[in-house]
Amino acid sequence: MAFNILIVDDSGTARAMIRKTLGLSKLPLGQLLEAGNGAEALELMGQFWVDLVLCDINMPVMDGHELVARMSDDPVLKTIPVAIISTEGSEERIAELRALGISAYLRKPFKPEDVSALVLG
């Protein structure tokens, strides 16, 4: 079974790095979708099946916190695991996101093996 993964980050460079890392992982990949903010991510999740969301916190239009909150209010979207990959490292913010249901948190900058371990494990 291949996994469809949505990468949500306003940095094209960060998205490309995550995409490349996933390509090198041993994870069976289906579609790798990309969004530049939470609003774009919600739109994509309305169009495509997504098995995992890898999301930044600080983005324009709709940040990662609001995206996770909206997903947690939706009966279908709240079942999709969300892993935060961000420079934001405040314990309070991470605790808020964990309360909303995120599955994991990875701090930027990251090593490629960190992303692989996050997704695989």
Side-chain angles (χ1 to χ4, degrees):
M1 174 177 139
F3 293 97
N4 294 334
I5 299 176
L6 173 57
I7 304 165
V8 188
D9 198 306
D10 59 323
S11 165
T13 302
R15 290 193 312 266
M17 241 178 113
I18 294 168
R19 176 183 279 279
K20 182 173 183 173
T21 299
L22 291 171
L24 296 172
S25 74
K26 298 189 186 314
L27 189 68
L29 297 175
Q31 288 184 301
L32 289 180
L33 304 166
E34 296 184 26
N37 60 61
E40 290 176 11
L42 286 173
E43 187 176 316
L44 285 170
M45 286 186 277
Q47 298 172 24
F48 300 95
W49 179 261
V50 173
D51 297 298
L52 172 66
V53 175
L54 302 176
C55 184
D56 189 16
I57 296 174
N58 299 310
M59 298 176 288
V61 183
M62 181 189 295
D63 66 20
H65 189 273
E66 185 176 349
L67 172 62
V68 172
R70 290 210 187 171
M71 288 177 69
S72 70
D73 288 339
D74 183 283
V76 174
L77 298 182
K78 73 180 180 182
T79 65
I80 301 171
V82 177
I84 298 294
I85 302 177
S86 181
T87 57
E88 172 77 47
S90 101
E91 292 299 320
E92 181 179 327
R93 177 60 77 81
I94 295 167
E96 290 171 359
L97 289 163
R98 288 197 190 280
L100 289 172
I102 67 165
S103 302
Y105 172 83
L106 178 62
R107 189 169 173 89
K108 290 178 186 174
F110 53 83
K111 295 179 277 189
E113 55 268 19
D114 296 334
V115 175
S116 293
L118 179 86
V119 173
L120 293 172

mmCIF file of all heavy atoms in Angstrom, residues 30-69:
data_model
loop_
_atom_site.group_PDB
_atom_site.id
_atom_site.type_symbol
_atom_site.label_atom_id
_atom_site.label_comp_id
_atom_site.label_asym_id
_atom_site.label_seq_id
_atom_site.Cartn_x
_atom_site.Cartn_y
_atom_site.Cartn_z
ATOM 1 N N GLY A 30 2.808 7.063 -2.559
ATOM 2 C CA GLY A 30 1.830 7.292 -3.606
ATOM 3 C C GLY A 30 2.046 8.715 -4.094
ATOM 4 O O GLY A 30 3.115 9.049 -4.588
ATOM 5 N N GLN A 31 1.055 9.570 -3.871
ATOM 6 C CA GLN A 31 1.174 10.971 -4.270
ATOM 7 C C GLN A 31 1.864 11.774 -3.169
ATOM 8 O O GLN A 31 1.586 11.584 -1.982
ATOM 9 C CB GLN A 31 -0.203 11.573 -4.498
ATOM 10 C CG GLN A 31 -0.897 11.087 -5.738
ATOM 11 C CD GLN A 31 -2.217 11.806 -5.922
ATOM 12 O OE1 GLN A 31 -3.080 11.736 -5.057
ATOM 13 N NE2 GLN A 31 -2.357 12.496 -7.039
ATOM 14 N N LEU A 32 2.747 12.677 -3.581
ATOM 15 C CA LEU A 32 3.316 13.672 -2.680
ATOM 16 C C LEU A 32 2.703 15.004 -3.082
ATOM 17 O O LEU A 32 2.996 15.539 -4.149
ATOM 18 C CB LEU A 32 4.838 13.721 -2.786
ATOM 19 C CG LEU A 32 5.595 12.535 -2.222
ATOM 20 C CD1 LEU A 32 7.095 12.715 -2.390
ATOM 21 C CD2 LEU A 32 5.261 12.327 -0.750
ATOM 22 N N LEU A 33 1.811 15.504 -2.245
ATOM 23 C CA LEU A 33 1.120 16.757 -2.519
ATOM 24 C C LEU A 33 1.795 17.874 -1.741
ATOM 25 O O LEU A 33 2.359 17.634 -0.674
ATOM 26 C CB LEU A 33 -0.346 16.646 -2.104
ATOM 27 C CG LEU A 33 -1.134 15.499 -2.730
ATOM 28 C CD1 LEU A 33 -2.451 15.285 -1.996
ATOM 29 C CD2 LEU A 33 -1.375 15.784 -4.196
ATOM 30 N N GLU A 34 1.710 19.105 -2.251
ATOM 31 C CA GLU A 34 2.336 20.240 -1.593
ATOM 32 C C GLU A 34 1.371 21.410 -1.497
ATOM 33 O O GLU A 34 0.610 21.671 -2.425
ATOM 34 C CB GLU A 34 3.582 20.690 -2.359
ATOM 35 C CG GLU A 34 4.683 19.665 -2.391
ATOM 36 C CD GLU A 34 5.942 20.186 -3.068
ATOM 37 O OE1 GLU A 34 6.174 21.419 -3.077
ATOM 38 O OE2 GLU A 34 6.697 19.349 -3.597
ATOM 39 N N ALA A 35 1.443 22.102 -0.350
ATOM 40 C CA ALA A 35 0.651 23.306 -0.136
ATOM 41 C C ALA A 35 1.535 24.343 0.542
ATOM 42 O O ALA A 35 2.394 24.001 1.348
ATOM 43 C CB ALA A 35 -0.566 22.999 0.730
ATOM 44 N N GLY A 36 1.302 25.613 0.216
ATOM 45 C CA GLY A 36 2.081 26.698 0.785
ATOM 46 C C GLY A 36 1.510 27.281 2.062
ATOM 47 O O GLY A 36 2.127 28.115 2.704
ATOM 48 N N ASN A 37 0.298 26.836 2.441
ATOM 49 C CA ASN A 37 -0.322 27.297 3.685
ATOM 50 C C ASN A 37 -1.488 26.372 4.030
ATOM 51 O O ASN A 37 -1.848 25.477 3.249
ATOM 52 C CB ASN A 37 -0.779 28.760 3.565
ATOM 53 C CG ASN A 37 -1.798 28.957 2.464
ATOM 54 O OD1 ASN A 37 -2.877 28.389 2.485
ATOM 55 N ND2 ASN A 37 -1.442 29.777 1.472
ATOM 56 N N GLY A 38 -2.084 26.594 5.189
ATOM 57 C CA GLY A 38 -3.166 25.728 5.649
ATOM 58 C C GLY A 38 -4.401 25.758 4.776
ATOM 59 O O GLY A 38 -5.071 24.732 4.596
ATOM 60 N N ALA A 39 -4.723 26.929 4.218
ATOM 61 C CA ALA A 39 -5.908 27.026 3.360
ATOM 62 C C ALA A 39 -5.737 26.159 2.116
ATOM 63 O O ALA A 39 -6.659 25.428 1.723
ATOM 64 C CB ALA A 39 -6.171 28.480 2.979
ATOM 65 N N GLU A 40 -4.550 26.220 1.507
ATOM 66 C CA GLU A 40 -4.283 25.365 0.345
ATOM 67 C C GLU A 40 -4.328 23.897 0.738
ATOM 68 O O GLU A 40 -4.817 23.055 -0.026
ATOM 69 C CB GLU A 40 -2.908 25.690 -0.247
ATOM 70 C CG GLU A 40 -2.813 27.034 -0.924
ATOM 71 C CD GLU A 40 -1.403 27.346 -1.416
ATOM 72 O OE1 GLU A 40 -0.534 26.442 -1.423
ATOM 73 O OE2 GLU A 40 -1.168 28.510 -1.797
ATOM 74 N N ALA A 41 -3.844 23.585 1.922
ATOM 75 C CA ALA A 41 -3.843 22.199 2.396
ATOM 76 C C ALA A 41 -5.271 21.675 2.547
ATOM 77 O O ALA A 41 -5.572 20.557 2.117
ATOM 78 C CB ALA A 41 -3.100 22.095 3.728
ATOM 79 N N LEU A 42 -6.152 22.474 3.142
ATOM 80 C CA LEU A 42 -7.551 22.052 3.290
ATOM 81 C C LEU A 42 -8.193 21.813 1.932
ATOM 82 O O LEU A 42 -8.950 20.852 1.755
ATOM 83 C CB LEU A 42 -8.350 23.092 4.078
ATOM 84 C CG LEU A 42 -8.084 23.154 5.577
ATOM 85 C CD1 LEU A 42 -8.820 24.331 6.197
ATOM 86 C CD2 LEU A 42 -8.464 21.850 6.264
ATOM 87 N N GLU A 43 -7.880 22.676 0.986
ATOM 88 C CA GLU A 43 -8.423 22.518 -0.367
ATOM 89 C C GLU A 43 -7.954 21.196 -0.981
ATOM 90 O O GLU A 43 -8.750 20.449 -1.555
ATOM 91 C CB GLU A 43 -7.991 23.694 -1.241
ATOM 92 C CG GLU A 43 -8.635 23.699 -2.599
ATOM 93 C CD GLU A 43 -8.247 24.930 -3.405
ATOM 94 O OE1 GLU A 43 -8.247 26.034 -2.852
ATOM 95 O OE2 GLU A 43 -7.954 24.760 -4.606
ATOM 96 N N LEU A 44 -6.665 20.897 -0.846
ATOM 97 C CA LEU A 44 -6.133 19.637 -1.390
ATOM 98 C C LEU A 44 -6.750 18.425 -0.699
ATOM 99 O O LEU A 44 -7.053 17.424 -1.346
ATOM 100 C CB LEU A 44 -4.611 19.604 -1.261
ATOM 101 C CG LEU A 44 -3.844 20.480 -2.250
ATOM 102 C CD1 LEU A 44 -2.367 20.553 -1.872
ATOM 103 C CD2 LEU A 44 -4.012 19.957 -3.668
ATOM 104 N N MET A 45 -6.934 18.518 0.622
ATOM 105 C CA MET A 45 -7.528 17.382 1.344
ATOM 106 C C MET A 45 -8.985 17.166 0.956
ATOM 107 O O MET A 45 -9.509 16.080 1.140
ATOM 108 C CB MET A 45 -7.377 17.567 2.855
ATOM 109 C CG MET A 45 -5.957 17.324 3.321
ATOM 110 S SD MET A 45 -5.782 17.363 5.121
ATOM 111 C CE MET A 45 -5.641 19.113 5.396
ATOM 112 N N GLY A 46 -9.615 18.196 0.413
ATOM 113 C CA GLY A 46 -10.973 18.043 -0.105
ATOM 114 C C GLY A 46 -11.000 17.367 -1.464
ATOM 115 O O GLY A 46 -12.029 16.854 -1.884
ATOM 116 N N GLN A 47 -9.848 17.332 -2.149
ATOM 117 C CA GLN A 47 -9.776 16.768 -3.485
ATOM 118 C C GLN A 47 -9.081 15.412 -3.552
ATOM 119 O O GLN A 47 -9.335 14.629 -4.460
ATOM 120 C CB GLN A 47 -9.009 17.719 -4.413
ATOM 121 C CG GLN A 47 -9.643 19.063 -4.593
ATOM 122 C CD GLN A 47 -8.737 20.015 -5.374
ATOM 123 O OE1 GLN A 47 -7.884 19.582 -6.132
ATOM 124 N NE2 GLN A 47 -8.914 21.296 -5.166
ATOM 125 N N PHE A 48 -8.158 15.158 -2.612
ATOM 126 C CA PHE A 48 -7.339 13.949 -2.662
ATOM 127 C C PHE A 48 -7.350 13.229 -1.316
ATOM 128 O O PHE A 48 -7.457 13.861 -0.270
ATOM 129 C CB PHE A 48 -5.866 14.298 -2.995
ATOM 130 C CG PHE A 48 -5.675 14.993 -4.298
ATOM 131 C CD1 PHE A 48 -5.615 16.381 -4.354
ATOM 132 C CD2 PHE A 48 -5.553 14.264 -5.479
ATOM 133 C CE1 PHE A 48 -5.433 17.038 -5.570
ATOM 134 C CE2 PHE A 48 -5.371 14.916 -6.693
ATOM 135 C CZ PHE A 48 -5.316 16.299 -6.736
ATOM 136 N N TRP A 49 -7.190 11.916 -1.381
ATOM 137 C CA TRP A 49 -7.025 11.136 -0.161
ATOM 138 C C TRP A 49 -5.610 11.381 0.356
ATOM 139 O O TRP A 49 -4.642 11.278 -0.393
ATOM 140 C CB TRP A 49 -7.224 9.647 -0.420
ATOM 141 C CG TRP A 49 -7.029 8.862 0.828
ATOM 142 C CD1 TRP A 49 -5.912 8.175 1.211
ATOM 143 C CD2 TRP A 49 -7.963 8.710 1.876
ATOM 144 N NE1 TRP A 49 -6.098 7.603 2.441
ATOM 145 C CE2 TRP A 49 -7.353 7.915 2.876
ATOM 146 C CE3 TRP A 49 -9.264 9.179 2.092
ATOM 147 C CZ2 TRP A 49 -8.002 7.577 4.064
ATOM 148 C CZ3 TRP A 49 -9.903 8.831 3.270
ATOM 149 C CH2 TRP A 49 -9.278 8.041 4.234
ATOM 150 N N VAL A 50 -5.482 11.705 1.640
ATOM 151 C CA VAL A 50 -4.190 11.972 2.259
ATOM 152 C C VAL A 50 -4.037 11.057 3.468
ATOM 153 O O VAL A 50 -4.935 10.974 4.317
ATOM 154 C CB VAL A 50 -4.076 13.459 2.690
ATOM 155 C CG1 VAL A 50 -2.799 13.706 3.481
ATOM 156 C CG2 VAL A 50 -4.151 14.379 1.475
ATOM 157 N N ASP A 51 -2.903 10.366 3.536
ATOM 158 C CA ASP A 51 -2.628 9.459 4.653
ATOM 159 C C ASP A 51 -1.841 10.113 5.779
ATOM 160 O O ASP A 51 -1.879 9.650 6.914
ATOM 161 C CB ASP A 51 -1.836 8.241 4.157
ATOM 162 C CG ASP A 51 -2.625 7.431 3.154
ATOM 163 O OD1 ASP A 51 -3.691 6.915 3.517
ATOM 164 O OD2 ASP A 51 -2.193 7.342 1.984
ATOM 165 N N LEU A 52 -1.103 11.183 5.453
ATOM 166 C CA LEU A 52 -0.251 11.846 6.441
ATOM 167 C C LEU A 52 -0.023 13.286 6.008
ATOM 168 O O LEU A 52 0.179 13.553 4.820
ATOM 169 C CB LEU A 52 1.103 11.122 6.542
ATOM 170 C CG LEU A 52 2.201 11.774 7.384
ATOM 171 C CD1 LEU A 52 1.815 11.794 8.866
ATOM 172 C CD2 LEU A 52 3.524 11.044 7.184
ATOM 173 N N VAL A 53 -0.053 14.202 6.989
ATOM 174 C CA VAL A 53 0.251 15.608 6.738
ATOM 175 C C VAL A 53 1.529 15.957 7.487
ATOM 176 O O VAL A 53 1.637 15.703 8.691
ATOM 177 C CB VAL A 53 -0.898 16.528 7.199
ATOM 178 C CG1 VAL A 53 -0.512 18.000 7.042
ATOM 179 C CG2 VAL A 53 -2.179 16.226 6.438
ATOM 180 N N LEU A 54 2.497 16.529 6.765
ATOM 181 C CA LEU A 54 3.726 17.063 7.366
ATOM 182 C C LEU A 54 3.602 18.568 7.253
ATOM 183 O O LEU A 54 3.541 19.104 6.137
ATOM 184 C CB LEU A 54 4.960 16.551 6.623
ATOM 185 C CG LEU A 54 5.128 15.037 6.564
ATOM 186 C CD1 LEU A 54 6.345 14.664 5.725
ATOM 187 C CD2 LEU A 54 5.252 14.457 7.966
ATOM 188 N N CYS A 55 3.535 19.271 8.385
ATOM 189 C CA CYS A 55 3.114 20.667 8.368
ATOM 190 C C CYS A 55 4.019 21.582 9.186
ATOM 191 O O CYS A 55 4.388 21.258 10.316
ATOM 192 C CB CYS A 55 1.693 20.729 8.927
ATOM 193 S SG CYS A 55 0.934 22.348 8.906
ATOM 194 N N ASP A 56 4.323 22.741 8.619
ATOM 195 C CA ASP A 56 4.999 23.813 9.332
ATOM 196 C C ASP A 56 3.963 24.528 10.210
ATOM 197 O O ASP A 56 2.757 24.345 10.027
ATOM 198 C CB ASP A 56 5.606 24.786 8.301
ATOM 199 C CG ASP A 56 6.513 25.831 8.922
ATOM 200 O OD1 ASP A 56 6.929 25.665 10.088
ATOM 201 O OD2 ASP A 56 6.820 26.815 8.230
ATOM 202 N N ILE A 57 4.428 25.352 11.146
ATOM 203 C CA ILE A 57 3.496 26.128 11.969
ATOM 204 C C ILE A 57 3.321 27.530 11.410
ATOM 205 O O ILE A 57 2.213 27.981 11.160
ATOM 206 C CB ILE A 57 3.971 26.208 13.438
ATOM 207 C CG1 ILE A 57 3.979 24.821 14.071
ATOM 208 C CG2 ILE A 57 3.064 27.153 14.228
ATOM 209 C CD1 ILE A 57 4.559 24.784 15.474
ATOM 210 N N ASN A 58 4.424 28.239 11.224
ATOM 211 C CA ASN A 58 4.378 29.656 10.836
ATOM 212 C C ASN A 58 4.296 29.811 9.323
ATOM 213 O O ASN A 58 5.284 29.613 8.626
ATOM 214 C CB ASN A 58 5.607 30.381 11.395
ATOM 215 C CG ASN A 58 5.643 30.312 12.908
ATOM 216 O OD1 ASN A 58 4.661 30.616 13.564
ATOM 217 N ND2 ASN A 58 6.764 29.899 13.448
ATOM 218 N N MET A 59 3.078 30.143 8.853
ATOM 219 C CA MET A 59 2.830 30.343 7.423
ATOM 220 C C MET A 59 1.817 31.468 7.260
ATOM 221 O O MET A 59 1.006 31.698 8.160
ATOM 222 C CB MET A 59 2.251 29.061 6.794
ATOM 223 C CG MET A 59 3.150 27.855 6.843
ATOM 224 S SD MET A 59 2.341 26.376 6.179
ATOM 225 C CE MET A 59 1.150 25.986 7.476
ATOM 226 N N PRO A 60 1.831 32.149 6.102
ATOM 227 C CA PRO A 60 0.823 33.191 5.851
ATOM 228 C C PRO A 60 -0.536 32.560 5.522
ATOM 229 O O PRO A 60 -0.629 31.352 5.325
ATOM 230 C CB PRO A 60 1.391 33.924 4.642
ATOM 231 C CG PRO A 60 2.196 32.896 3.925
ATOM 232 C CD PRO A 60 2.778 32.007 4.996
ATOM 233 N N VAL A 61 -1.534 33.360 5.462
ATOM 234 C CA VAL A 61 -2.919 33.004 5.124
ATOM 235 C C VAL A 61 -3.547 32.155 6.227
ATOM 236 O O VAL A 61 -4.461 32.592 6.907
ATOM 237 C CB VAL A 61 -3.050 32.322 3.746
ATOM 238 C CG1 VAL A 61 -4.511 32.037 3.418
ATOM 239 C CG2 VAL A 61 -2.398 33.151 2.650
ATOM 240 N N MET A 62 -3.089 30.914 6.396
ATOM 241 C CA MET A 62 -3.549 30.051 7.494
ATOM 242 C C MET A 62 -2.339 29.287 8.004
ATOM 243 O O MET A 62 -1.704 28.549 7.258
ATOM 244 C CB MET A 62 -4.628 29.070 7.027
ATOM 245 C CG MET A 62 -5.150 28.173 8.146
ATOM 246 S SD MET A 62 -6.239 26.831 7.572
ATOM 247 C CE MET A 62 -7.608 27.768 6.937
ATOM 248 N N ASP A 63 -2.035 29.483 9.289
ATOM 249 C CA ASP A 63 -0.859 28.814 9.852
ATOM 250 C C ASP A 63 -1.171 27.364 10.223
ATOM 251 O O ASP A 63 -2.318 26.907 10.120
ATOM 252 C CB ASP A 63 -0.291 29.597 11.040
ATOM 253 C CG ASP A 63 -1.219 29.646 12.252
ATOM 254 O OD1 ASP A 63 -2.139 28.811 12.378
ATOM 255 O OD2 ASP A 63 -1.007 30.529 13.098
ATOM 256 N N GLY A 64 -0.147 26.656 10.624
ATOM 257 C CA GLY A 64 -0.290 25.241 10.947
ATOM 258 C C GLY A 64 -1.189 24.982 12.143
ATOM 259 O O GLY A 64 -1.912 23.987 12.180
ATOM 260 N N HIS A 65 -1.161 25.879 13.121
ATOM 261 C CA HIS A 65 -2.011 25.714 14.303
ATOM 262 C C HIS A 65 -3.486 25.757 13.908
ATOM 263 O O HIS A 65 -4.277 24.903 14.323
ATOM 264 C CB HIS A 65 -1.685 26.802 15.332
ATOM 265 C CG HIS A 65 -2.352 26.591 16.641
ATOM 266 N ND1 HIS A 65 -3.616 27.041 16.911
ATOM 267 C CD2 HIS A 65 -1.927 25.957 17.762
ATOM 268 C CE1 HIS A 65 -3.950 26.708 18.148
ATOM 269 N NE2 HIS A 65 -2.941 26.044 18.681
ATOM 270 N N GLU A 66 -3.859 26.735 13.078
ATOM 271 C CA GLU A 66 -5.245 26.832 12.629
ATOM 272 C C GLU A 66 -5.624 25.636 11.754
ATOM 273 O O GLU A 66 -6.738 25.112 11.854
ATOM 274 C CB GLU A 66 -5.493 28.138 11.873
ATOM 275 C CG GLU A 66 -6.962 28.311 11.516
ATOM 276 C CD GLU A 66 -7.281 29.643 10.852
ATOM 277 O OE1 GLU A 66 -6.421 30.547 10.833
ATOM 278 O OE2 GLU A 66 -8.408 29.763 10.341
ATOM 279 N N LEU A 67 -4.714 25.192 10.910
ATOM 280 C CA LEU A 67 -4.981 24.014 10.087
ATOM 281 C C LEU A 67 -5.277 22.799 10.957
ATOM 282 O O LEU A 67 -6.268 22.094 10.745
ATOM 283 C CB LEU A 67 -3.795 23.710 9.158
ATOM 284 C CG LEU A 67 -3.876 22.384 8.383
ATOM 285 C CD1 LEU A 67 -5.086 22.354 7.452
ATOM 286 C CD2 LEU A 67 -2.587 22.141 7.619
ATOM 287 N N VAL A 68 -4.441 22.551 11.950
ATOM 288 C CA VAL A 68 -4.649 21.402 12.840
ATOM 289 C C VAL A 68 -5.974 21.553 13.588
ATOM 290 O O VAL A 68 -6.716 20.581 13.744
ATOM 291 C CB VAL A 68 -3.457 21.237 13.811
ATOM 292 C CG1 VAL A 68 -3.743 20.177 14.859
ATOM 293 C CG2 VAL A 68 -2.182 20.891 13.043
ATOM 294 N N ALA A 69 -6.293 22.769 14.033
ATOM 295 C CA ALA A 69 -7.559 23.002 14.733
ATOM 296 C C ALA A 69 -8.752 22.704 13.827
ATOM 297 O O ALA A 69 -9.714 22.049 14.246
ATOM 298 C CB ALA A 69 -7.624 24.439 15.238
#
